[in-house]
Amino acid sequence: MLPFRATAVLSVYFLASFAAATPSPLDARASGTCTLTSSGSDDAPAFLKAVADSSCSTVAIPAGTTLSIQSKLNMTGTLDKHINVQGTVKFNPDIDYWTDNSFSFDFQDQAAFWLLGGKNIVLDGGGTLDGSGQAWYDEFAKHSSTVRPILFTIFQATNVTVQNIRMINGPEWINFVNEGQDITFRNISISAVSTSKNAAKNTDGWDIFRSDNVVIADSNIDNGDDCVSFKPNATNILVSNLSCNGSHGISVGSLGQYAGEYDIVQNVLATNIRMSNAQNGARIKAWAGKGVGAGLVKNITFDGFVESNVDNPVVIDQCYMTSADDCAKYPSNTYIQDVWFNK
Ligand SMILES: *[C@@H]1O[C@H](CO)[C@@H](O)[C@H](O)[C@H]1NC(C)=O
Ligand SMILES: *[C@@H]1O[C@H](CO)[C@@H](O)[C@H](O)[C@H]1NC(C)=O
Ligand SMILES: *[C@@H]1O[C@H](CO)[C@@H](O)[C@H](O)[C@H]1NC(C)=O
Ligand SMILES: *[C@@H]1O[C@H](CO)[C@@H](O)[C@H](O)[C@H]1NC(C)=O
Ligand SMILES: *[C@@H]1O[C@H](CO)[C@@H](O)[C@H](O)[C@H]1NC(C)=O
Ligand SMILES: *[C@@H]1O[C@H](CO)[C@@H](O)[C@H](O)[C@H]1NC(C)=O
Ligand SMILES: *[C@@H]1O[C@H](CO)[C@@H](O)[C@H](O)[C@H]1NC(C)=O
């Protein structure tokens, strides 16, 4: 059944001279700002150390500095932290390393470079997160079993704001919000575009999973899959003022993929969305077939979509990834109700 209705932080810079003769990659002082510099090798240990240090209320990566990340970043359990990225955090495309060492999630066989979790965290600064995706797009074209890491993952977090950041060349999903509460993204600029013949596939802008009260606003996205996707148990979500280019749309789902699981997407408002050169505009996708899961999609509003060159402006697909025969025999167990499309 598809009922339709028309319708300052104060940065403290210390001027004291260096105590050590050799410059340390981490200039950490008693309290306040700890400034990272590039070491010429793996900068992940210094970045982890600064974020874990409660005396560094701000961890700064200055403009002009590129941190080379050559090992995974587990920043779960971070408290009261300002990560001020004015420069660049760049993930080294060592495919063998990440294949063996990235964080992994059972959900849709995802992997991640970086987990940021905990409480009361701001990540901002006008700088860039760079996933070095080209090597991954080319590798994936040769070996489709290659698991490409997500660029940025918020995991088990409450009260996190990410703003004024560019995210470029993500190998796969750009942002994953997994078990988050009260999470806000503002003024994010995403670009995941291949320069070879191999497309930047599965480069979703945001995937929201098992998370509540998430805001994504005022952002530009140029990518090759969903602009924003509401995965199982994404609730109370506001998406507003986005320009999505080249994407697969703003999507609920896919839901009902896994046997025995119950997937809820409820209370979503997506408003003021400019969708260009896209496969879809507003989309809901749920699996059918023998042995799939179940779910509920309820109270979803797509408001003020301006679409240009979009193949399917509105899609409701309850036979997602399912043949017509199987879908007829084993229809979707995901119920969809109270969906509004407003001009
Ligand atoms: C991340 O680190 C925390 C604490 O150091 C640890 O408990 C947790 O298991 C680690 N998470 C992963 C996914 O490795
Ligand atoms: C959320 O985090 C910000 C910045 O870390 C902090 O200023 C604010 O007080 C926190 N809000 C709550 C409700 O704890
Ligand atoms: C938005 O973020 C960019 C960096 O990506 C920054 O240059 C710009 O000043 C930010 N805009 C606002 C209004 O803060
Ligand atoms: C929409 O977002 C853009 C940044 O992409 C920003 O410049 C603009 O001010 C925002 N508009 C409103 C009404 O907030
Ligand atoms: C939008 O995508 C098209 C291709 O689909 C590309 O040619 C164009 O440069 C993109 N524009 C922006 C602003 O990213
Ligand atoms: C979603 O939430 C419901 C209700 O809390 C729970 O029963 C279900 O297991 C959750 N599903 C997933 C995929 O986390
Ligand atoms: C429907 O969702 C919107 C958020 O998009 C929320 O403001 C509203 O309260 C919800 N309505 C109900 C009846 O829960």
Side-chain angles (χ1 to χ4, degrees):
M1 288 298 293
L2 306 175
F4 264 84
R5 304 197 178 132
T7 60
V9 174
L10 175 66
S11 294
V12 183
Y13 289 95
F14 290 81
L15 298 171
S17 56
F18 288 100
T22 19
S24 151
L26 170 61
D27 178 15
R29 300 304 156 90
S31 101
T33 297
C34 300
T35 301
L36 295 167
T37 57
S38 131
S39 67
S41 57
D42 183 13
D43 295 315
F47 192 15
L48 283 168
K49 189 163 176 251
V51 169
D53 185 342
S54 60
S55 70
C56 303
S57 57
T58 293
V59 174
I61 296 149
T65 295
T66 296
L67 294 189
S68 172
I69 304 301
Q70 302 175 19
S71 52
K72 63 183 172 177
L73 294 173
N74 177 354
M75 294 185 189
T76 53
T78 298
L79 296 178
D80 305 316
K81 195 69 55 180
H82 176 199
I83 302 175
N84 186 0
V85 182
Q86 297 171 30
T88 299
V89 176
K90 188 174 165 73
F91 292 85
N92 191 41
D94 179 342
I95 289 168
D96 291 340
Y97 169 81
W98 294 111
T99 296
D100 291 342
N101 294 286
S102 55
F103 301 105
S104 64
F105 295 103
D106 290 342
F107 180 70
Q108 298 189 336
D109 301 317
Q110 293 298 319
F113 286 138
W114 181 4
L115 307 181
L116 181 64
K119 243 180 136 166
N120 306 339
I121 303 166
V122 175
L123 189 151
D124 64 2
T128 302
L129 312 183
D130 182 347
S132 302
Q134 191 62 51
W136 293 95
Y137 311 145
D138 293 336
E139 177 67 19
F140 186 69
K142 277 186 279 176
H143 303 112
S144 63
S145 60
T146 306
V147 176
R148 295 159 295 154
I150 299 165
L151 180 60
F152 180 67
T153 301
I154 289 185
F155 183 51
Q156 298 179 334
T158 304
N159 186 25
V160 178
T161 299
V162 180
Q163 59 191 2
N164 310 334
I165 291 288
R166 287 199 319 143
M167 301 181 175
I168 62 173
N169 307 322
E172 204 244 11
W173 294 357
I174 311 302
N175 291 285
F176 186 29
V177 181
N178 182 349
E179 299 182 27
Q181 263 191 74
D182 307 331
I183 311 293
T184 299
F185 290 85
R186 265 184 216 289
N187 188 30
I188 305 299
S189 146
I190 290 175
S191 171
V193 178
S194 175
T195 54
S196 75
K197 64 180 195 307
N198 305 314
K201 288 189 177 157
N202 313 106
T203 46
D204 297 11
W206 283 266
D207 287 274
I208 304 172
F209 178 60
R210 293 183 173 154
S211 294
D212 185 56
N213 198 19
V214 177
V215 174
I216 299 170
D218 306 335
S219 295
N220 290 305
I221 300 93
D222 188 17
N223 71 341
D225 207 308
D226 290 327
C227 188
V228 182
S229 171
F230 313 108
K231 301 289 193 193
N233 290 17
T235 51
N236 300 304
I237 315 287
L238 171 63
V239 174
S240 82
N241 186 26
L242 303 189
S243 295
C244 304
N245 187 49
S247 82
H248 291 182
I250 304 275
S251 299
V252 174
S254 60
L255 302 182
Q257 179 175 359
Y258 295 106
E261 301 254 6
Y262 191 73
D263 298 341
I264 299 169
V265 173
Q266 193 165 8
N267 303 341
V268 173
L269 172 61
T271 181
N272 187 14
I273 308 294
R274 293 162 300 282
M275 184 69 67
S276 312
N277 307 309
Q279 185 192 73
N280 313 291
R283 174 160 71 150
I284 299 176
K285 44 180 172 170
W287 292 63
K290 199 173 180 176
V292 295
L296 175 66
V297 176
K298 189 175 162 79
N299 185 24
I300 314 295
T301 303
F302 297 102
D303 174 77
F305 276 53
V306 176
E307 307 196 2
S308 74
N309 190 27
V310 173
D311 298 341
N312 312 295
V314 169
V315 177
I316 297 179
D317 181 2
Q318 279 178 303
C319 302
Y320 184 68
M321 304 289 276
T322 315
S323 72
D325 276 1
D326 279 356
C327 196
K329 251 190 271 175
Y330 310 102
S332 175
N333 299 314
T334 299
Y335 287 75
I336 300 175
Q337 60 191 79
D338 300 343
V339 178
W340 303 72
F341 298 90
N342 301 333
K343 278 213 289 184

